Amino acid sequence: YVRHSSDPLYTPEPDTCHELLGHVPLLAEPSFAQFSQEIGLASLGASDDAVQKLATCYFFTVEFGLCKQEGRLRAYGAGLLSSISELRHALSGNAKIMPFDPKVTCNQECIITTFQDVYFVSESFEEAKVKMREFAKTIRRPFTVRYNPYTQSVEVLRDMLSLHSLVEELRHELDIVGDALHRLNTQLGV
C-alpha cells in the first residue's frame, strides 16, 4: 500500500513510505533496534492490560517519539519521520508536548486517524531507553526473558540453570572487555 496521491504528506495508515522512511533507517541503528526489541520482550508473559500499556508507550516512542539533541527538539518516531505534515505539526510549537514518563504516557489515547493530541519528549533518546527499562521492570510477569543473539531466540530466565548459563556468558564477555582494556592500557603505556 502506498499513500494516495491526493495527500502525499500524510496517511492515517502505515504504508510503504512509512516503513521505508520511518522504520528501516532507525531499525538499522543498533541502539534503536534494541529499544524496540526490549519493549516487545517486556510484553512476554505480561497481562493484557500491561501489554496495552507497553503498546501505548511503543506508539508514543517508536512511532511518534520526540527527544532533544543539543537542546533542540528532534523527532525519532517513524510516524513523524514518514509524514511531513504531522512532523510540521509536532514541531510547530502549537502541539501539546509533555515530558516522556511511561507511567503517564501509557494512559494516553493513541489516535490513528489524525494528528496526535499530545507528543512526548525525552531529554535524549538514551533517557527514553532508561525510562522504558525501569517501567518494564514494574510489569508483573512470572519470569524474565532475554534475547540471545547467538541462537536468535528468546530465553526464559526462571530457574538457576538458565541464570547460571547467562552468568557464564557474561563472564566470557567481561573477560573480552578486560583483555581489550589491558591491551589498550599497554598501548597507552598505562
Side-chain angles (χ1 to χ4, degrees):
Y1 162 74
V2 177
R3 59 193 66 188
H4 196 271
S5 61
S6 66
D7 194 3
L9 302 182
Y10 176 78
T11 179
E13 300 171 355
D15 68 343
T16 305
C17 296
H18 170 78
E19 300 303 331
L20 294 176
L21 297 174
H23 286 298
V24 171
L26 291 171
L27 291 172
E29 201 284 311
S31 180
F32 186 85
Q34 180 184 30
F35 175 73
S36 179
Q37 184 178 54
E38 286 178 3
I39 295 173
L41 289 172
S43 73
L44 299 177
S47 69
D48 289 348
D49 182 59
V51 170
Q52 183 59 50
K53 289 179 181 208
L54 287 166
T56 300
C57 286
Y58 185 93
F59 185 83
F60 283 107
T61 56
V62 174
E63 294 292 345
F64 293 96
L66 296 171
C67 65
K68 292 183 181 174
Q69 183 180 35
E70 298 175 5
R72 297 183 65 197
L73 200 56
R74 301 285 190 220
Y76 69 87
L80 291 172
L81 297 175
S82 64
S83 172
I84 191 69
S85 294
E86 185 146 10
L87 182 60
R88 281 187 194 137
H89 169 71
L91 301 177
S92 69
N94 296 323
K96 183 176 181 183
I97 297 177
M98 296 175 53
F100 177 63
D101 176 354
K103 291 177 284 213
V104 173
T105 303
C106 73
N107 295 309
Q108 180 64 38
E109 180 184 4
C110 302
I111 300 173
I112 60 170
T113 56
T114 186
F115 297 159
Q116 299 307 306
D117 288 337
V118 64
Y119 301 90
F120 295 92
V121 63
S122 297
E123 290 302 312
S124 67
F125 178 68
E126 288 304 312
E127 179 191 71
K129 282 176 60 175
V130 168
K131 286 182 175 185
M132 274 309 302
R133 284 179 179 151
E134 291 305 311
F135 181 68
K137 288 179 191 175
T138 68
I139 293 173
R140 293 177 48 118
R141 13 185 228 163
F143 50 77
T144 298
V145 296
R146 77 179 273 263
Y147 178 75
N148 184 325
Y150 302 115
T151 62
Q152 296 182 350
S153 63
V154 175
E155 294 177 351
V156 177
L157 304 173
R158 68 166 123 204
D159 57 35
M160 291 306 291
L161 183 61
S162 60
L163 290 173
H164 183 270
S165 178
L166 176 58
V167 168
E168 288 303 314
E169 284 182 42
L170 291 172
R171 281 186 181 140
H172 174 68
E173 295 295 321
L174 288 173
D175 188 46
I176 293 170
V177 171
D179 182 57
L181 287 171
H182 173 73
R183 292 172 190 268
L184 185 60
N185 285 337
T186 300
Q187 289 175 359
L188 297 173
V190 178

